Amino acid sequence: MNETTVKKRMLSGIKPSGDLTLGSYLGAIRNWKEREDAFDCYYFMADLHSITVRQNPADLRRRSLEQLAQYIACGLDPEKNVLFFQSHVHQHAELGWVMNCYAMFGELSRMTQFKDKSAKNAENINGGLFTYPALMAADILLYQADLVPVGEDQKQHVELTRDIAKRFNGVYGDVFKIPEPYIPKVGARIMSLANPEAKMSKSEDEDAGRVCLMDRPEDIMRLFKRAVTDCDSVVRYDPVEKKGISNLMNIYSAATGRSFEQIEAEFAGRGYGDFKKAVGESVVELLRPIREEATKLLADKAYLQKVCEEGAQKAAYVAEKTLRKVYKKLGFVAR
């Protein structure tokens, strides 16, 4: 890359509302690592977003630090990626309020995740649950991000961000860069081992099909042995008729680099038992170095503190430039 070439900026965040899963790693974090030299990368723990659902404070604090350690253990070099806690950069909340004033009620009410989460949290349908897409827009637009790596289920939020940015720019001029969703081709959506029609979720405690990055090898093997398949016995990729097997093939392919054709040939004439054991073993070995490195990092609190402080400083420097420009355009008196 020519030294004068400006890298495109990429930004993404994951809520520390649950433990990071195999799906989080294969669908997002591993792909982030592969882009750190080609892009200017900002990755954060979306702790402000996590409180739309009630959290135990001690658990939230623990999971946030564990997530930072796991980001690094997954290969994200703090020298090449800006790693930070969302709540450490106050500009997120400030621009979030501005975005609330430029997001339309109808747009927010049509968001799929609001409908889903309202159904799951009927006793706590709070204002934050309704307006969090406006905060998500602020997360992205603060950093003038070019690309936002998301799964298909999050693409709607980037589309809303684009609409809000265009609306704001239409009134005040060229303030925000219009971001594009960046959807990886492989491993973008890892499904639950217990219900292959549902995404493997880190927030759903009842998901018996969740493999977490810090799970012990024996627990991982037990989950794969119990994985839902079908009444057939042929290992064949068919995401319509064989959802469970196709999900396992997707995981095995991502863990080993083998193509679906190679996997089908490897397990031709062999039963599902052999296949599920092989998938489990490949995941155990994939996650082993991550679990071991994260454990070491969590024992070094001073290092993690240094990473999050330096990351917040770098993030705030960029975010403040955008916020000042927005406040000037709105007519706020400079502070």
Side-chain angles (χ1 to χ4, degrees):
M1 181 178 289
N2 190 306
E3 288 185 7
T4 61
T5 301
V6 177
K7 291 181 179 180
K8 286 190 174 183
R9 182 167 291 158
M10 184 171 281
L11 174 133
S12 192
I14 298 177
K15 291 184 296 184
S17 54
D19 296 319
L20 291 180
T21 68
L22 177 67
S24 309
Y25 177 60
L26 294 179
I29 303 170
R30 185 164 75 168
N31 296 319
W32 297 353
K33 163 65 179 172
E34 294 171 356
R35 304 177 193 131
E36 66 183 12
D37 292 317
F39 297 94
D40 183 18
C41 298
Y42 287 68
Y43 299 124
F44 61 97
M45 277 53 67
D47 48 1
L48 293 177
H49 283 290
S50 68
I51 63 170
T52 58
V53 176
R54 296 286 177 263
Q55 303 289 331
N56 177 291
D59 288 343
L60 179 59
R61 196 172 296 112
R62 171 185 58 79
R63 283 196 301 262
S64 298
L65 285 169
E66 286 179 353
Q67 188 166 309
L68 174 60
Q70 288 168 39
Y71 275 8
I72 300 169
C74 287
L76 296 181
D77 184 348
E79 298 299 320
K80 294 183 177 181
N81 303 274
V82 180
L83 308 178
F84 62 100
F85 292 108
Q86 184 187 26
S87 62
H88 288 186
V89 182
H90 62 80
Q91 291 87 350
H92 283 259
E94 292 186 56
L95 188 61
W97 170 249
V98 177
M99 295 298 96
N100 269 328
C101 298
Y102 287 82
M104 298 297 106
F105 183 89
E107 290 173 324
L108 296 174
S109 64
R110 288 192 294 272
M111 299 302 286
T112 302
Q113 289 210 344
F114 170 68
K115 297 174 185 175
D116 292 346
K117 292 190 176 184
S118 296
K120 291 178 181 177
N121 299 278
E123 75 290 347
N124 183 30
I125 305 176
N126 56 68
L129 196 63
F130 185 69
T131 63
Y132 84 93
L135 178 57
M136 189 175 289
D139 298 334
I140 297 166
L141 298 176
L142 264 180
Y143 300 96
Q144 305 291 353
D146 296 280
L147 299 166
V148 185
V150 291
E152 284 286 356
D153 57 326
Q154 290 284 338
K155 190 177 178 182
Q156 186 184 32
H157 291 99
V158 182
E159 291 169 351
L160 176 63
T161 299
R162 288 167 54 84
D163 290 341
I164 296 173
K166 290 175 182 176
R167 184 176 298 134
F168 195 94
N169 287 353
V171 176
Y172 299 106
D174 188 18
V175 178
F176 295 122
K177 185 173 288 186
I178 308 301
E180 296 283 347
Y182 187 100
I183 301 173
K185 297 291 188 292
V186 179
R189 197 167 169 83
I190 301 298
M191 313 306 281
S192 166
L193 302 185
N195 177 13
E197 295 193 24
K199 183 180 177 183
M200 186 181 287
S201 173
K202 63 183 176 53
S203 302
E204 303 298 331
D205 290 335
E206 69 272 15
D207 183 3
R210 257 188 335 159
V211 178
C212 296
L213 297 191
M214 302 298 281
D215 280 350
R216 297 176 303 173
E218 57 268 31
D219 294 330
I220 293 173
M221 292 304 298
R222 184 160 51 248
L223 285 167
F224 277 99
K225 286 176 183 176
R226 294 175 179 173
V228 170
T229 51
D230 52 54
C231 59
D232 196 359
S233 61
V234 179
V235 176
R236 186 180 73 253
Y237 190 75
D238 183 345
V240 176
E241 298 297 330
K242 297 171 73 70
K243 290 183 171 66
I245 284 296
S246 297
N247 184 44
L248 292 176
M249 290 180 69
N250 200 16
I251 293 169
Y252 193 55
S253 175
T256 65
R258 292 180 174 88
S259 67
F260 294 147
E261 292 79 10
Q262 289 172 323
I263 296 169
E264 289 175 2
E266 181 182 355
F267 291 95
R270 298 166 65 183
Y272 284 169
D274 283 352
F275 179 53
K276 291 199 284 188
K277 182 172 182 286
V279 181
E281 288 172 348
S282 71
V283 170
V284 165
E285 294 311 312
L286 180 71
L287 299 185
R288 187 188 304 280
I290 296 172
R291 186 181 70 254
E292 292 174 352
E293 181 62 19
T295 300
K296 290 178 186 175
L297 290 167
L298 285 166
D300 190 351
K301 293 293 193 292
Y303 172 71
L304 292 179
Q305 185 68 26
K306 177 174 175 286
V307 169
C308 69
E309 285 180 1
E310 291 180 353
Q313 288 172 2
K314 292 174 186 175
Y317 176 78
V318 176
E320 181 61 20
K321 287 199 292 186
T322 298
L323 189 67
R324 283 185 183 180
K325 188 174 184 180
V326 169
Y327 277 6
K328 183 177 180 180
K329 292 287 188 180
L330 290 171
F332 293 164
V333 175
R335 58 187 175 193

